[in-house]
Amino acid sequence: MNVGERAGPVKLYIYHMRQDDARKCTAMKLGRHGLARVFFSLREAPRGAVILDPRAGRALSRQDRPVMLARGLLAVDCSWAHIDTFPGLRALRGPRRCLPFLVAANPVNYGVPTKLSTAEALAAALYIAGFREQAERVLSIFKWGHAFLELNRDLLDAYAEAPDSQAVLAIQARVLEALARGEREVELPPISSAPADEDAQDGEDAAHNAHGARGARDEQGTS
């Protein structure tokens, strides 16, 4: 069976590096509610899951949906400011994807671009790949969860309609250019609705990842 035909929710995994307060940690709360499997040893890491990595050259898109269904989605809960000092992360095996430009709604970084909590990062990836109900379920256990979707709805919808990573990055580039000009409202470009390639394989996209210039290393898992 083609992996794109499989039904059911995406399995969520979180590699927790114990770098934050467990009482305020969104990753641990997801684990307690049974919405994600949290692990602390690289030996427990699943193989082949899509890994959220702000250093990746390829953005997450709906092309990643089949692999997410088959293998799951993995986030790393850590301080990305110190990511380069922990070589063990290279032991994680799976296609690596960065998230495009989004704005945080968590209480620590409300309104700050790119500084998403682990829960926000997972929900954003699910939404972009077409798993909107699961994304809403992930955020539903947080009082501020609905605010993340409200702040980013137009962007998330545009990213979700993009057929591939290059199109996602093109939308991001347009958004960043508009923000650099001081525009408060960004006119998102029209997106082709052509179906994604179900057999897309891992690989680095040649498109420039403008997200890195906006502090992407602080994304995806600070709390």
Side-chain angles (χ1 to χ4, degrees), residues 89-210:
L89 288 181
R90 291 196 295 268
L92 294 172
R93 301 300 181 192
R96 296 173 184 266
R97 301 289 185 264
C98 66
L99 286 177
F101 179 90
L102 293 164
V103 178
N106 64 78
V108 177
N109 294 303
Y110 183 87
V112 179
T114 77
K115 291 197 174 182
L116 309 187
S117 66
T118 299
E120 288 171 312
L122 288 170
L126 289 168
Y127 195 108
I128 292 169
F131 304 100
R132 300 187 185 188
E133 290 185 4
Q134 188 175 358
E136 291 170 355
R137 189 158 61 249
V138 164
L139 292 170
S140 68
I141 64 173
F142 304 96
K143 294 180 179 179
W144 46 265
H146 67 284
F148 178 75
L149 294 178
E150 291 171 2
L151 281 173
N152 296 283
R153 182 75 68 180
D154 290 346
L155 279 173
L156 287 169
D157 285 342
Y159 294 143
E161 292 175 5
D164 52 31
S165 170
Q166 191 169 5
V168 168
L169 291 175
I171 295 171
Q172 173 185 260
R174 184 160 180 169
V175 170
L176 294 179
E177 289 170 3
L179 292 174
R181 293 193 298 267
E183 298 177 14
R184 292 186 177 183
E185 294 186 4
V186 181
E187 182 179 351
L188 297 174
I191 297 300
S192 168
S193 59
D197 179 6
E198 296 287 349
D199 297 320
Q201 300 295 317
D202 182 31
E204 290 303 310
D205 201 5
H208 172 62
N209 180 8

Side-chain angles (χ1 to χ4, degrees), residues 12-167:
L12 302 181
Y13 303 94
I14 302 171
Y15 174 40
H16 199 294
M17 295 176 63
R18 303 179 187 270
Q19 294 182 347
D20 52 18
D21 186 341
R23 295 171 298 179
K24 301 177 181 179
C25 179
T26 64
M28 296 302 292
K29 189 168 184 177
L30 290 174
R32 290 194 298 270
H33 282 259
L35 296 173
R37 182 168 75 82
V38 181
F39 60 95
F40 302 92
S41 170
L42 286 169
R43 291 191 295 272
E44 301 178 49
R47 287 185 174 271
V50 174
I51 302 167
L52 295 180
D53 184 345
R55 302 168 301 175
R58 186 168 182 173
L60 188 135
S61 74
R62 68 185 188 186
Q63 276 194 328
D64 296 306
R65 178 183 174 92
V67 179
M68 289 168 64
L69 277 171
R71 299 289 186 175
L73 175 68
L74 188 154
V76 179
D77 192 282
C78 70
S79 171
W80 289 105
H82 306 292
I83 193 69
D84 291 326
T85 66
F86 192 80
L89 288 181
R90 291 196 295 268
L92 294 172
R93 301 300 181 192
R96 296 173 184 266
R97 301 289 185 264
C98 66
L99 286 177
F101 179 90
L102 293 164
V103 178
N106 64 78
V108 177
N109 294 303
Y110 183 87
V112 179
T114 77
K115 291 197 174 182
L116 309 187
S117 66
T118 299
E120 288 171 312
L122 288 170
L126 289 168
Y127 195 108
I128 292 169
F131 304 100
R132 300 187 185 188
E133 290 185 4
Q134 188 175 358
E136 291 170 355
R137 189 158 61 249
V138 164
L139 292 170
S140 68
I141 64 173
F142 304 96
K143 294 180 179 179
W144 46 265
H146 67 284
F148 178 75
L149 294 178
E150 291 171 2
L151 281 173
N152 296 283
R153 182 75 68 180
D154 290 346
L155 279 173
L156 287 169
D157 285 342
Y159 294 143
E161 292 175 5
D164 52 31
S165 170
Q166 191 169 5

